[in-house]
């Protein structure tokens, strides 16, 4: 059997809007998956920036491409500059803005910087303004293709480490959705499955935003890869039972010494894996390596909205089963999207779906309203706890990662 990736969309792509024929960045809205798979269309840098901040597009490699496309979008749809120098200053500002929309995943700033550098290089070669604009759009699209190629190489490199019959454990979503397509850890899983090496994948739920239960579980189920969802707190016990042969996680930033930031909860897995002598691998493209930082203490860790931890969100479609319910929902949504507020902080917005039924986005408070909350989105796993770092160039000891030349 091979993984069936036909139901998994690319997370981000460049195209033209059907409604106004303008260049557009299309994104799968990952905040509502798996219940709703909306495609967001962005025609301005601000739209991509909002998608990055809300995690509609997420995962370090996908963020790198989103940043590059956001700058290209600014150049195509927003810049009115007539002089190359002024346009270049605008490119710099656009790159700075999108590159700092989230702090931890280094790919975001990397993608913006790469596009900016390309613009300056091509301007130095004497290209005219329209040629420059065309060039940065083509370059951003190539970055999307390069991302998939890197993931396929990571998949091939990582699968070699997997013994036939292996049971893996993964955290968050470093699958296809966290990249443009195929995934880093996803790449290893899909390749190993195709090579008949994989028995099963344990998927951590990944509180507070549930990237594991919402995204990774959906991806693996869609691809036909055997998997089971567990709460984050179950991982140690499953390892103790001898049911995990290797842990594979993604990365948001890898320092020069190999210390690695990834989704909060990764460190806990590394500690457990070390205790039970289970190999612990990090999968990431070269663009996730930040050689300017000596060690993990220098990585900026994103702090997120306390509400992510104070309750939970749910999105979906309601299909009323009787006339009275349909009438009630029709009334509520008569004037468009309806915001409903409830005691104890619960909130819901309701809207009519073009395809039928009513969409909802809800947030339910589950903790005492006043409880103080600490909500860092990432943690740092020390290099010495990492068995190997798998990139598109091969498999490296964390401490030997920077001994080789970069591509
Ligand atoms: O907050 P997120 O969902 O962007 O965090 C994502 C992760 O931590 C991933 O593991 C990492 O970016 C690698 S995605 C291939």
């Amino acid at each position: 059997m091979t993984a069936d990736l036909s139901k998994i969309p690319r997370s981000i792509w460049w195209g033209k809007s059907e409604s106004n024929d303008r260049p557009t960045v299309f994104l799968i809205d990952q905040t509502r998956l798996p219940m709703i798979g909306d495609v967001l269309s962005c025609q301005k840098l601000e739209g991509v920036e909002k998608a990055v901040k809300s995690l509609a597009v997420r995962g370090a490699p996908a963020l790198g491409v989103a940043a590059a496309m956001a700058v290209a979008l600014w150049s195509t749809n927003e810049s009115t500059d007539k002089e190359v120098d002024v346009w270049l200053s605008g490119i710099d500002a656009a790159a700075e803005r999108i590159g700092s929309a989230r702090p931890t995943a280094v790919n975001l700033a990397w993608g913006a910087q790469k596009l900016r550098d390309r613009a300056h290089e091509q301007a130095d070669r004497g290209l005219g303004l329209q040629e420059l604009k065309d060039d940065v759009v083509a370059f951003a699209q190539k970055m999307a293709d390069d991302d998939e190629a890197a993931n396929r190489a990571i998949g091939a490199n990582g699968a070699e480490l997997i013994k036939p019959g292996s049971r893996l454990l993964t955290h968050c979503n470093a699958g296809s959705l966290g990249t443009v397509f195929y995934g880093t850890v996803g790449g290893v899983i899909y390749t190993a499955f195709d090579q008949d090496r994989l028995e099963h994948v344990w998927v951590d739920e990944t509180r507070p935003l549930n990237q594991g239960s919402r995204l990774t579980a959906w991806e693996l189920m869609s691809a036909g890869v055997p998997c089971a969802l567990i709460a984050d707190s179950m991982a140690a016990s499953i390892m103790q039972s001898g049911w995990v042969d290797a842990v594979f996680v993604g990365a948001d930033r890898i320092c020069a010494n190999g210390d690695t930031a990834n989704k909060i909860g990764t460190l806990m897995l590394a500690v457990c894996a070390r205790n039970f002598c289970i190999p612990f691998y990090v999968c990431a493209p070269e663009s996730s390596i930040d050689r300017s930082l000596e060690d993990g203490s220098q990585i900026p860790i994103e702090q997120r909205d306390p509400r992510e931890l104070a309750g939970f969100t749910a999105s979906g479609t309601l299909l009323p089963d009787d006339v009275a319910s349909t009438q009630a929902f029709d009334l509520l949504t008569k004037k468009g999207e309806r915001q409903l507020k409830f005691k104890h902080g619960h909130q819901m917005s309701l809207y009519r779906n073009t395809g039928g039924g009513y969409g909802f986005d809800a947030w339910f408070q589950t903790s005492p309203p006043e409880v103080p909350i600490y909500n860092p989105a990432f943690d740092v796993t020390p290099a010495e706890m990492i068995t190997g770092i798998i990139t598109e160039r091969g498999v490296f000891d964390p401490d030997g990662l920077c001994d080789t030349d970069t591509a």
Side-chain angles (χ1 to χ4, degrees), residues 133-188:
K133 289 186 172 191
D134 294 343
D135 181 79
V136 292
V137 168
F139 192 73
Q141 292 182 72
K142 182 173 178 306
M143 282 173 68
D145 295 340
D146 290 348
D147 178 68
E148 183 182 341
N151 297 329
R152 292 197 182 265
I154 290 169
N157 293 335
E160 283 181 22
L161 302 166
I162 296 178
K163 297 191 188 83
S166 286
R167 298 143 310 166
L168 309 185
L169 187 148
T170 191
H171 190 64
C172 193
N173 175 267
S176 190
L177 290 163
T179 64
V180 173
F181 191 67
Y182 204 60
T184 54
V185 173
V188 175

Side-chain angles (χ1 to χ4, degrees), residues 30 52 55 57-63 102 104-105 107 147 151 170-180 183-186 206 209 211 214-215 249-253 261-264 266 283-285 288 302 304 377-379:
Q30 298 190 32
V52 167
L55 272 58
V57 59
R58 46 144 301 281
L63 290 174
R102 288 184 76 189
T104 305
N107 310 59
D147 178 68
N151 297 329
T170 191
H171 190 64
C172 193
N173 175 267
S176 190
L177 290 163
T179 64
V180 173
T184 54
V185 173
T206 318
L209 290 181
Q211 287 94 332
R214 292 188 304 103
L215 307 177
V249 296
D252 287 85
R253 192 184 296 235
N262 190 49
K263 179 54 57 195
I264 192 79
T266 302
C283 305
S288 299
E302 178 178 7
R304 292 197 54 92
F378 301 95
D379 57 28

Side-chain angles (χ1 to χ4, degrees), residues 62 110 131 139 168 182 194 199 214 236 259 279 292 300 310 331 361 385 388 401:
W110 166 87
E131 287 173 307
F139 192 73
L168 309 185
Y182 204 60
D194 290 351
E199 187 180 307
R214 292 188 304 103
D259 289 355
S292 73
L331 204 60
D361 293 312
M385 290 189 167
L401 188 66

Side-chain angles (χ1 to χ4, degrees), residues 22 32 48 60 85 91 103 105 167 178 215 234 238 240 282 295 300 302 308 338 340 359 364 372 384 400 402:
R22 294 189 84 197
R32 287 170 158 178
V48 181
D85 280 358
I91 288 277
R167 298 143 310 166
L215 307 177
M234 295 170 189
I238 284 170
Q240 185 186 42
V282 169
D295 63 53
E302 178 178 7
E308 292 175 354
R338 177 73 171 250
L340 303 167
F364 300 107
E384 64 268 20
C402 292

Side-chain angles (χ1 to χ4, degrees), residues 297-317:
S297 65
Q298 299 167 328
I299 299 177
I301 299 293
E302 178 178 7
Q303 300 293 325
R304 292 197 54 92
D305 190 336
R307 282 163 46 97
E308 292 175 354
L309 207 51
F312 66 91
T313 51
S315 295
T317 303

